[in-house]
Amino acid sequence: MKQKTVAVVGAAETTEMGKIPNMSQIMLHADAALNAMKDAGLTAKDIDGVATAGDSPVEVAHYLGITPTWVDGTSVGGCSFMLHVRHAAAAINEGLCNTVLITHAESGRSRVGARRFSRDPASQMGQFEVPYGVTNPPTMFTIPVLRYMKDVGMNEEDLAQVAVVQREWAAKNPRASFRDPITVDDVLNSKMIAWPFRLLMCCLVTDGGGALILTSAERAKDFPQKPAYILGTGESCETPMISQMEDFTTSKAFRVSGKKAFDEAGIKHSDVDHLMIYDAFAHLPLYGLEDLGFCERGEAAAFIREGHTRPGGKLPLNTNGGGLSYMHSGMYGMYALQESVRQMRGIAPAQVPGAKISIAHGVGGMFAASGTIVFSNEAP
């Protein structure tokens, strides 16, 4: 797509986050959507494009009273919302719709009105991985991270350091689930989940959601909030089975999606002021830093250990606290996008001074898919 032809003009999360037993999943969609509409000064009648994942966009549109001319139900895991942003930008540029609402909501903790998760025994994963005990995220993500640790010489302390630094950011965020400082020893002494992951290396399980509203850059100047312009986008996928990754120490989907977004945006790594990398588990920021090209292979752990991603560092990373400390209802990509938008608006709780370019990078499934969005707050 052409740079800065589409912008985010509305962005909001659910009114409450964390544990919300009094709201069903579809109610969380509506709460986030109505908050985003209020943020943009719009109503449901102004929306003509709807996208969501996990739940059906048909259900969301009906519940909100929207009759869209463009619908996207792409669902490839937690980065689906990055793909929705990319697809919505293309649709707006093509004239298929004018104003797109993208919603995410999950009753991940309370499970009120949430869909039951089941693994189809006829699927590739159901046939070739599940019978051998590879059944859930901790038992899937351990496979690549153990190979990565062996090949690059990374240890448990390096994984723990990721969680420690992100808690530093969470301490600055009033809406973060966990804000108390932690040490590497705290992480290493927390409950073992699946080697090498301990409890504080694993994402939260919460209730909540978020929504974005996109329109053309030409219209964006007429909205009440500062626009976050889409500068570049990328998406890709590799395999539905963690065992079939081309290389356990790097994500092909990350590399392809990231390069596409960088090339489209026409930026260098030194241009990036702020970075969000989906962190369902502590190893994902390490893969993201290397596969996006911010670090050479095997150097990401030292990059974080040396303080480059923490408050005051040269590459602020996961400034909301991430999926490890801020929020993780199941499909975290929406929350990464929300923080990028806040940073571009200059209203984030842990605002990066003078930030002009932010990247939100997501994973879908267990390295199955990826989406990358480059934002800018400078008008075209």
Side-chain angles (χ1 to χ4, degrees), residues 78-332:
C79 69
S80 297
F81 313 102
M82 283 80 171
L83 274 63
H84 293 159
V85 169
R86 189 174 199 241
H87 300 172
I92 290 168
N93 278 334
E94 194 63 24
L96 304 181
C97 52
N98 293 309
T99 311
V100 172
L101 170 70
I102 302 170
T103 70
H104 160 64
E106 281 181 284
S107 183
R109 179 185 177 99
S110 302
R111 308 304 296 167
V112 182
R115 298 181 184 276
R116 294 185 63 183
F117 178 80
S118 61
R119 190 78 67 194
D120 183 358
S123 67
Q124 293 178 46
M125 187 182 297
Q127 294 181 71
F128 303 114
E129 289 187 343
V130 172
Y132 303 98
V134 184
T135 57
N136 52 44
T139 60
M140 295 175 190
F141 266 146
T142 52
I143 295 171
V145 76
L146 286 171
R147 169 56 64 181
Y148 179 91
M149 291 171 72
K150 181 179 186 297
D151 284 3
V152 308
M154 187 180 75
N155 56 36
E156 292 175 87
E157 287 78 8
D158 291 324
L159 279 176
Q161 188 65 42
V162 175
V164 170
V165 171
Q166 294 197 185
R167 186 63 65 88
E168 292 180 15
W169 286 112
K172 299 174 177 290
N173 191 343
R175 277 168 66 89
S177 297
F178 293 135
R179 301 179 62 200
D180 293 337
I182 55 175
T183 65
V184 168
D185 285 343
D186 290 332
V187 179
L188 296 180
N189 290 327
S190 63
K191 180 182 178 181
M192 177 61 71
I193 302 301
W195 182 263
F197 296 131
R198 295 183 179 271
L199 182 63
L200 293 179
M201 299 176 186
C202 303
C203 64
L204 306 169
V205 181
T206 56
D207 306 327
L212 298 170
I213 296 176
L214 281 71
T215 192
S216 67
E218 185 178 0
R219 296 180 63 213
K221 60 182 182 294
D222 298 326
F223 287 80
Q225 306 297 341
K226 184 175 183 177
Y229 297 97
I230 311 300
L231 191 59
T233 64
E235 64 184 277
S236 189
C237 60
E238 181 173 356
T239 171
M241 295 184 288
I242 194 77
S243 63
Q244 300 306 305
M245 289 178 68
E246 181 180 76
D247 181 341
F248 286 141
T249 67
T250 177
S251 166
K252 181 191 289 185
F254 277 22
R255 298 195 312 272
V256 172
S257 176
K259 185 178 187 306
K260 182 68 177 175
F262 267 81
D263 289 348
E264 197 171 89
I267 59 171
K268 306 183 298 294
H269 292 85
S270 58
D271 296 324
V272 179
D273 303 303
H274 172 256
L275 178 61
M276 297 297 295
I277 297 177
Y278 194 130
D279 61 318
F281 290 82
H283 68 302
L284 286 170
L286 302 169
Y287 279 73
L289 285 169
E290 293 179 10
D291 289 339
L292 290 177
F294 289 98
C295 297
E296 295 297 327
R297 183 175 182 273
E299 294 183 357
F303 189 81
I304 291 176
R305 190 169 57 246
E306 292 163 6
H308 299 306
T309 64
R310 67 179 1 128
K314 66 181 182 181
L315 184 61
L317 172 65
N318 292 345
T319 51
N320 61 354
L324 300 181
S325 289
Y326 175 60
M327 171 72 178
H328 194 294
S329 52
M331 301 171 78
Y332 174 78

